[in-house]
């Protein structure tokens, strides 16, 4: 009788044990070094990838980071293919209509990049601006540079390829990503920042800051992530990750 009771108890608990061990799935678009990229071994790596695992450790939750093209990130979240997005995603009013966000973990600054010696004019009339589609940077140049031609790409690396090929005159994006992922590389040696810094504190269209994107109904997960963000920052691990990826002093939080 006792053996039967133990077997019954184990069978009842098994589904809960399986659920508890199920990893939190976090999606990223790994075309955005040094924040997220695919390394030489084929693994997804980068600052935000390491930060994601640090948050999961703080929550005592197993997790995995999966690679997903940028334009499929939010649809995939809504379809429950994964549980969260960590991909340098800025909080904007448009995105808030369909997803929720954790607290901000870094503020994004933006600049234009062009061939060295190129000046940023008021309207960039007849110039070609290459940007990643569906981003605050895309919205910004579309709204304020109507005399220019805007070319949009899903892959975050493609605007830089358009610059180097001569098919675009400017790109506009995250200052740190453009510096580390392009200007500091051999491909970017003939290019430089031009014009001032733009960020969400000056114009809300550029976003309130980078955060974890979640489904609106996942309020409990949001609370756990917010607590974990505070914990990882307070412990010094966040600063250590910035240093590891040579980002210390470059990101505001």
């Amino acid at each position: 009788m006792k053996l039967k009771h133990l077997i019954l108890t184990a069978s009842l608990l098994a589904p809960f044990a399986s659920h508890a061990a199920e990893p939190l799935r976090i999606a990223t678009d790994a075309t955005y070094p040094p924040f997220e990229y695919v390394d030489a071994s084929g693994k997804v790596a980068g600052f935000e990838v390491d930060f994601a695992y640090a948050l999961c450790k703080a929550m005592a939750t197993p997790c995995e980071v999966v690679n997903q093209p940028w334009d499929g990130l939010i649809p995939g979240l809504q379809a429950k293919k994964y549980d969260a997005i960590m991909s340098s995603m800025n909080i904007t009013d448009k995105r808030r209509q369909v997803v929720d966000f954790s607290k901000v973990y870094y503020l994004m600054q933006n600049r234009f990049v062009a061939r060295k010696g190129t000046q940023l004019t008021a309207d960039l009339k007849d110039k070609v601006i290459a940007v990643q589609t569906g981003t605050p940077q895309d919205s910004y140049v579309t709204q304020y540079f109507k005399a220019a031609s805007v070319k949009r790409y899903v892959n975050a690396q493609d605007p830089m390829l358009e610059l180097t090929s001569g098919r675009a005159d400017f790109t506009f994006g995250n200052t740190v990503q453009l510096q580390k992922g392009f200007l500091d590389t051999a491909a970017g040696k003939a290019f430089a920042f031009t014009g001032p810094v733009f960020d969400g504190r000056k114009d809300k269209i550029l976003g309130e800051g980078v955060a974890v994107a979640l489904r609106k109904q996942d309020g409990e997960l949001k609370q756990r992530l917010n607590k974990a963000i505070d914990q990882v920052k307070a412990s010094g691990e966040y600063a250590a990750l910035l240093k590891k990826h040579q980002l210390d002093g470059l990101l505001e939080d």
Side-chain angles (χ1 to χ4, degrees):
M1 185 69 179
K2 187 174 181 180
L3 179 60
K4 286 184 178 179
H5 178 72
L6 288 172
I7 293 172
L8 178 60
T9 302
S11 66
L12 289 172
L13 290 176
F16 295 97
S18 174
H19 178 72
E22 190 173 317
L24 186 73
R25 286 172 58 82
I26 301 173
T28 194
D29 171 26
T31 64
Y32 205 68
F35 296 95
E36 40 267 342
Y37 58 92
V38 177
D39 67 15
S41 68
K43 294 181 180 179
V44 179
F47 165 71
E48 277 184 292
V49 176
D50 285 349
F51 185 43
Y53 284 116
L55 294 179
C56 291
K57 182 180 177 182
M59 295 188 294
T61 300
C63 70
E64 60 178 327
V65 178
V66 297
N67 194 4
Q68 172 74 38
W70 175 260
D71 60 349
L73 282 173
I74 289 178
L77 179 66
Q78 293 172 316
K80 298 187 177 182
K81 291 182 179 179
Y82 32 82
D83 307 293
I85 298 168
M86 290 183 68
S87 196
S88 288
M89 185 168 282
N90 243 307
I91 301 171
T92 65
D93 289 341
K94 184 177 180 180
R95 288 173 180 159
R96 267 210 175 103
Q97 293 174 14
V98 291
V99 297
D100 198 3
F101 287 94
S102 72
K103 61 170 51 184
V104 169
Y105 55 85
Y106 86 83
L107 296 174
M108 184 182 294
Q109 295 185 327
N110 307 275
R111 291 190 74 180
F112 283 91
V113 166
R115 196 165 290 276
K116 287 180 178 178
T118 304
Q119 298 300 310
L120 183 68
T121 60
D123 58 4
L124 295 183
K125 185 177 180 180
D126 299 327
K127 299 297 183 182
V128 176
I129 308 171
V131 293
Q132 187 176 26
T133 189
T135 60
Q137 294 88 351
D138 179 1
S139 298
Y140 190 87
V141 297
T142 299
Q143 179 163 325
Y144 293 114
F145 293 89
K146 297 184 185 299
S149 174
V150 180
K151 298 177 73 173
R152 300 171 178 85
Y153 302 89
V154 173
N155 189 308
Q157 297 301 301
D158 286 347
M160 279 77 88
L161 293 175
E162 292 298 280
L163 270 186
T164 57
S165 70
R167 291 189 293 267
D169 303 296
F170 295 86
T171 188
F172 181 60
N174 180 338
T175 302
V176 175
Q177 194 275 327
L178 287 171
Q179 182 71 59
K180 295 289 187 179
F182 181 56
L183 297 178
D184 287 350
T185 70
K189 289 190 180 299
F191 299 86
F193 289 121
T194 182
V197 172
F198 302 82
D199 65 38
R201 289 170 294 188
K202 298 173 184 175
D203 195 314
K204 197 175 179 182
I205 196 172
L206 285 171
E208 301 167 30
V210 171
V212 185
L214 308 154
R215 287 183 290 272
K216 285 181 174 289
Q217 63 267 34
D218 289 343
E220 182 182 351
L221 178 58
K222 177 180 177 177
Q223 290 180 358
R224 292 172 62 210
L225 281 165
N226 284 342
K227 184 178 179 180
I229 289 169
D230 288 341
Q231 183 177 332
V232 172
K233 287 191 172 186
S235 71
E237 188 172 1
Y238 183 82
L241 291 176
L242 289 175
K243 187 172 183 179
K244 173 185 174 181
H245 293 280
Q246 300 181 336
L247 294 171
D248 45 325
L250 298 178
L251 295 185
E252 295 184 54
D253 56 10

